[in-house]
Amino acid sequence: MNQTTLASELIKAVEQADSSDSLIDAVEALADARLESAAPTLIAVLSYNNPGAAVAAVEGLVQLGEVAVMPLLNLLDDYNYGGRAWAIRALAEIGDPRALETLLEAAETDFSMSVRRAAAKGLGNLLWSKIPAAQVRQTQARVGKTLLLTSQDPEWVVRYASVAGLQALANAVAIEQSDIYSLLKSHFQQMLAEEQDLAVRTRVRRAMQELGR
Amino acid sequence: MLYEPAQSVGSLLPSPEDGESLTVEKAIANLKTGDRGDRYYAAWWLGKFRVNGPEAIEELIAALEDEEDRTESGGYPLRRNAATALGKLGDKTAVPALIECLDCEDFYVREKAAQSLGMLGDISCVPKLMQLLEGGLASAMPIPGCPHLAQPYNGAIEALGKLGATEAIPLIEPFLAHPLELEQYGAARAMYQLTGEAQYGDRLVAALAGSQLQLRRAALSDLGAIGYLPAAEAIAETLAENSLKLISLKGLLEHHVKNKESERLSETAIHLMNLMDNLL
């Protein structure tokens, strides 16, 4: 079977699945095949309101990486909220900077804490090497600003994710941008003193420990 | 199943989606003299926003004896909310009144009172909670057509576990063989807290591999509450929402690092955080 035939077989299996379990199996098979032409089908699955299938579809999209980014960004115009949330999770994991604006907005304003936490972590893990060198500094400063804001989110899990994002950002800026780096370090010190949640505080200690190395 | 993450300052503030915005004064006044709906809502609100001034406590304790708010089947909605709120507010002056609630004819009032007594950490309620378990499994069988058991066994067992009531072990142990999984988990959780034996934690880990999502969720909550470290991988891998896995692992992490904040982070703590980071 060549790739095109394989893709159409696997896609047909997803479209024709008649139970939750068979849908999950079909999506997993399609995701594992790692075919670029599978992206639209995997994205459609995000709106099926089947969490198991959506998890498998997100994994498949993350494995596809940058070829999935534009289709995912286009999906965000849709009104299906459930699909939107999964798409933002996929974009957060892929880390392609074309999703920057979307992730910044999701981290700051999405009403679902699981979207805010995924976006916050994703912002710290953007693929900086894909940004034109002249814009890296400015972009990192913007991301830093957003993560400082989300590190004061009312939900502990968003603050926790923001610390993970800030740690990754601090690692990325460590050498060239000592001003951002020292700002992040002093922010961690402030969080350690003021944060009420033990798990978040522990995550801050970890970030400081790793940065101190 | 009572495990709740610590509240942050931000979430203490009333927000529009929480319905009517109250002030502390208004909530207390509503609880005293409002209509039935106002009183019910005020009791919930005071617990939700952790308003634990003496006046709030006094009014909530008074609400435990309310006779006005009744359901068709004779339940006491306001008493239920007041009992729940008092558990959250951490004021031990509520203990005697909550102990009396364990005799209330409304099952749900007894259940909320048992749970709240577990949270307040005052062992004076232990004998009365143990009384609820009398009759053992024979009395604790499901009742056809009834949505609950004869007593809030799970609530009482959970409270006894939290309170460290080792004298209740012989009463709790038989519930490991209860026909309902949730009762088994509650017993395993308490037995772990009271004995520290891995076999009980491992029963909850095994539950994470079960076929029903609702039961896996319950096991996640129980494992987080007891901070059972050997469960970490199984928690990260079970089929359930990441949000619930994160709360469960948070419980393990906090249990592990409690009172160790001046020490360097252990390998275990870092491992737990790696698992959590991957679920964000």
Side-chain angles (χ1 to χ4, degrees):
Chain A
M1 212 185 304
N2 67 33
Q3 284 225 327
T4 318
T5 334
L6 174 65
S8 67
E9 289 291 315
L10 291 170
I11 289 168
K12 205 160 83 183
V14 171
E15 287 167 353
Q16 294 179 347
D18 56 4
S19 72
S20 174
D21 284 348
S22 65
L23 177 66
I24 295 172
D25 290 345
V27 173
E28 280 175 352
L30 181 62
D32 286 347
R34 303 197 185 201
L35 301 163
E36 193 176 330
S37 58
T41 307
L42 292 173
I43 288 171
V45 169
L46 303 180
S47 304
Y48 283 6
N49 195 21
N50 179 324
V55 167
V58 167
E59 275 177 30
L61 289 162
V62 171
Q63 279 167 5
L64 286 177
E66 60 183 278
V67 302
V69 172
M70 287 319 291
L72 279 166
L73 288 172
N74 291 333
L75 167 88
L76 294 170
D77 294 333
D78 266 5
Y79 286 110
N80 180 309
Y81 181 76
R84 198 183 148 81
W86 288 110
I88 286 170
R89 295 192 65 80
L91 288 168
E93 283 199 49
I94 294 170
D96 188 296
R98 284 173 293 177
L100 175 68
E101 300 298 330
T102 301
L103 292 177
L104 289 170
E105 195 192 331
E108 288 188 18
T109 64
D110 199 282
F111 76 81
S112 155
M113 66 169 154
S114 59
V115 172
R116 297 202 300 281
R117 76 168 190 246
K121 186 196 175 199
L123 282 169
N125 291 307
L126 282 183
L127 302 170
W128 304 108
S129 59
K130 293 195 173 188
I131 297 177
Q135 290 169 27
V136 169
R137 183 192 161 77
Q138 186 199 352
T139 311
Q140 290 177 333
R142 266 189 84 193
V143 165
K145 204 174 143 202
T146 291
L147 290 177
L148 293 189
L149 194 72
T150 59
S151 67
Q152 297 164 52
D153 193 282
E155 295 292 342
W156 74 270
V157 78
V158 181
R159 300 200 299 282
Y160 182 101
S162 301
V163 175
L166 285 166
Q167 182 188 327
L169 178 66
N171 277 329
V173 302
I175 302 158
E176 300 87 353
Q177 303 187 25
S178 58
D179 55 337
I180 299 182
Y181 187 72
S182 42
L183 177 73
L184 296 183
K185 271 193 139 172
S186 64
H187 181 68
F188 283 146
Q189 264 153 6
Q190 191 189 339
M191 274 190 92
L192 198 58
E194 294 173 2
E195 173 62 50
Q196 297 294 307
D197 185 279
L198 177 55
V200 178
R201 226 161 43 229
T202 307
R203 188 66 187 78
V204 173
R205 288 174 63 205
R206 192 228 171 134
M208 294 175 80
Q209 194 167 302
E210 307 256 322
L211 292 183
R213 278 205 305 234
Chain B
M1 297 262 290
L2 275 174
Y3 179 77
E4 286 174 29
Q7 292 291 307
S8 65
V9 177
S11 64
L12 294 182
L13 302 171
S15 57
E17 63 263 30
D18 290 314
E20 184 196 354
S21 246
L22 286 179
T23 61
V24 172
E25 295 72 28
K26 182 94 171 84
I28 293 171
N30 278 358
L31 184 56
K32 230 188 269 194
T33 57
D35 67 22
R36 192 186 288 187
D38 283 346
R39 300 182 75 202
Y40 182 78
Y41 182 75
W44 172 84
W45 192 92
L46 291 168
K48 163 81 176 169
F49 296 113
R50 305 284 200 271
V51 179
N52 56 358
E55 219 188 335
I57 300 289
E58 193 184 316
E59 287 308 321
L60 286 167
I61 290 175
L64 293 177
E65 294 184 349
D66 171 73
E67 288 291 350
E68 279 171 36
D69 191 2
R70 304 291 297 265
T71 65
E72 282 174 23
S73 52
Y76 291 95
L78 176 61
R79 293 192 192 186
R80 297 173 191 167
N81 271 9
T84 300
L86 286 165
K88 292 183 177 173
L89 300 185
D91 189 323
K92 292 185 183 183
T93 54
V95 168
L98 286 168
I99 291 175
E100 292 205 17
C101 284
L102 295 177
D103 285 322
C104 181
E105 63 204 73
D106 179 355
F107 171 90
Y108 297 104
V109 172
R110 300 199 299 279
E111 181 180 52
K112 307 297 180 203
Q115 290 168 340
S116 289
L117 286 165
M119 294 165 85
L120 291 179
D122 183 326
I123 59 166
S124 64
C125 61
V126 165
K128 185 77 196 171
L129 286 169
M130 286 171 63
Q131 270 180 32
L132 295 185
L133 304 186
E134 272 173 14
L137 271 195
S139 307
M141 288 297 125
I143 306 160
C146 177
H148 55 72
L149 303 174
Q151 290 292 354
Y153 297 102
N154 219 340
I157 286 172
E158 188 171 307
L160 288 165
K162 267 191 192 159
L163 294 168
T166 47
E167 62 268 46
I169 288 175
L171 290 174
I172 294 171
E173 209 261 340
F175 282 80
L176 292 165
H178 195 278
L180 298 178
E181 280 95 341
L182 287 177
E183 305 293 321
Q184 294 171 24
Y185 299 174
R189 170 181 158 157
M191 288 299 286
Y192 179 78
Q193 289 171 315
L194 298 175
T195 67
E197 284 178 32
Q199 57 163 318
Y200 303 115
D202 290 340
R203 282 183 70 126
L204 293 168
V205 174
L208 292 177
S211 61
Q212 288 184 55
L213 175 60
Q214 209 53 44
L215 295 176
R216 297 196 297 274
R217 287 175 177 156
L220 280 175
S221 169
D222 286 333
L223 285 163
I226 62 174
Y228 188 57
L229 282 176
E233 257 76 22
I235 290 170
E237 281 163 26
T238 189
L239 297 172
E241 297 87 339
N242 281 9
S243 301
L244 297 183
K245 297 189 200 182
L246 281 163
I247 292 173
S248 185
L249 287 169
K250 179 187 205 276
L252 267 56
L253 178 65
E254 293 188 340
H255 203 263
H256 176 69
V257 300
K258 206 158 225 167
N259 310 321
K260 290 189 205 163
E261 283 204 76
S262 55
E263 296 168 29
R264 195 176 163 78
L265 289 167
S266 68
E267 288 300 315
T268 304
I270 288 175
H271 178 60
L272 290 169
M273 285 186 271
N274 285 340
L275 294 174
M276 289 174 74
D277 283 11
N278 284 328
L279 294 166
L280 291 172

